[in-house]
Amino acid sequence: DAGVIQSPRHEVTEMGQEVTLRCKPISGHNSLFWYRQTMMRGLELLIYFNNNVPIDDSGMPEDRFSAKMPNASFSTLKIQPSEPRDSAVYFCASSGNMGTSGYNEQFFGPGTRLTVL
Amino acid sequence: GDSVTQMEGPVTLSEEAFLTINCTYTATGYPSLFWYVQYPGEGLQLLLKATKADDKGSNKGFEATYRKETTSFHLEKGSVQVSDSAVYFCALSLNYGGSQGNLIFGKGTKLSVKP
């Protein structure tokens, strides 16, 4: 299994530009999570999907951020327009059904390091 | 609300020293508890877990016991190695009737092990 795949790994852009981050979850997983990690705020959950439906987007900082999951194997996080304070590492994670195990391990991608100048 | 509090770092130890990273939680239900580790330049990966009170999670020499009476899940290792240098995150997940619950993370503790 290739694990969770994120692209690009690094993105440098200028303030005001649109940024799109991409994620391919592990095949068969039905939940997908987007996180943001900064030194100041640590790891923050932005939004998560279950069966392609957004369940909780309360962590999305503002209207400049949007996320979609058009199918079970692909999700995007878009920032438009981007600002310097959006600079962070963005992680995507996926998990499968809890089933009888009693827990839902999340598998993380390698992250996208975003720098907005 | 539900939350996780872990000791602030950074923690610097010599190789073969004993490690403890404290973690306490606040939750209204009966959470599952996790320790995740993040090596430099990588995403988080699950280190160990415990799903009910008194369970002990263990992996790679690390251990943590789910203590409901003290709402704690402290991470321990008897003899750390340089390769253990990483950031460690304590987390909880509230499971609602079998549905997916998102993870609530602590702020992370950076561990540096010197040779």
Side-chain angles (χ1 to χ4, degrees):
Chain A
D1 196 326
V4 176
I5 299 173
Q6 291 187 247
S7 64
R9 293 294 309 276
H10 301 274
E11 176 79 29
V12 179
T13 190
E14 293 187 345
M15 183 174 63
Q17 296 297 306
E18 177 180 296
V19 175
T20 299
L21 312 181
R22 297 173 176 81
C23 175
K24 177 178 169 57
I26 293 173
S27 177
H29 281 186
N30 63 341
S31 291
L32 183 140
F33 307 80
W34 282 101
Y35 293 90
R36 178 173 66 177
Q37 185 180 39
T38 61
M39 289 293 292
M40 291 297 294
R41 301 172 70 92
L43 197 64
E44 304 172 278
L45 177 67
L46 299 178
I47 184 171
Y48 82 95
F49 296 84
N50 195 30
N51 293 323
N52 311 338
V53 176
I55 302 301
D56 183 358
D57 65 354
S58 59
M60 296 285 264
E62 48 198 275
D63 291 346
R64 296 185 298 107
F65 285 69
S66 62
K68 294 182 179 179
M69 192 165 185
N71 56 62
S73 59
F74 184 65
S75 177
T76 59
L77 178 67
K78 183 176 294 186
I79 309 173
Q80 166 63 18
S82 58
E83 297 183 2
R85 59 192 169 117
D86 301 330
S87 298
V89 180
Y90 291 82
F91 288 104
C92 176
S94 70
S95 66
N97 285 321
M98 190 167 63
T100 58
S101 66
Y103 74 99
N104 48 327
E105 178 180 353
Q106 292 187 20
F107 293 82
F108 282 73
T112 295
R113 181 173 295 277
L114 173 65
T115 302
V116 183
L117 303 175
Chain B
D2 305 315
S3 65
V4 174
T5 302
Q6 61 182 105
M7 63 187 288
E8 293 189 18
V11 174
T12 303
L13 296 174
S14 297
E15 205 164 24
E16 299 184 1
F18 184 86
L19 168 71
T20 299
I21 300 178
N22 289 337
C23 172
T24 57
Y25 68 90
T26 301
T28 53
Y30 299 94
S32 296
L33 300 174
F34 307 83
W35 277 100
Y36 277 78
V37 59
Q38 183 180 28
Y39 298 104
E42 299 183 8
L44 280 71
Q45 52 187 277
L46 181 66
L47 179 61
L48 54 83
K49 65 186 182 298
T51 58
K52 61 183 186 298
D54 300 325
D55 270 2
K56 176 185 283 188
S58 61
N59 186 25
K60 300 181 180 179
F62 290 89
E63 293 183 339
T65 301
Y66 189 142
R67 301 286 188 200
K68 186 178 178 182
E69 62 275 15
T70 54
T71 61
S72 65
F73 194 55
H74 304 322
L75 182 68
E76 296 181 337
K77 186 174 185 181
S79 176
V80 294
Q81 305 300 312
V82 173
S83 58
D84 293 327
S85 298
V87 181
Y88 292 82
F89 293 88
C90 185
L92 68 81
S93 175
L94 292 170
N95 305 310
Y96 301 101
S99 64
Q100 294 294 308
N102 52 302
L103 287 172
I104 298 172
F105 285 94
K107 291 193 178 299
T109 302
K110 183 176 182 179
L111 171 66
S112 296
V113 180
K114 307 298 183 185

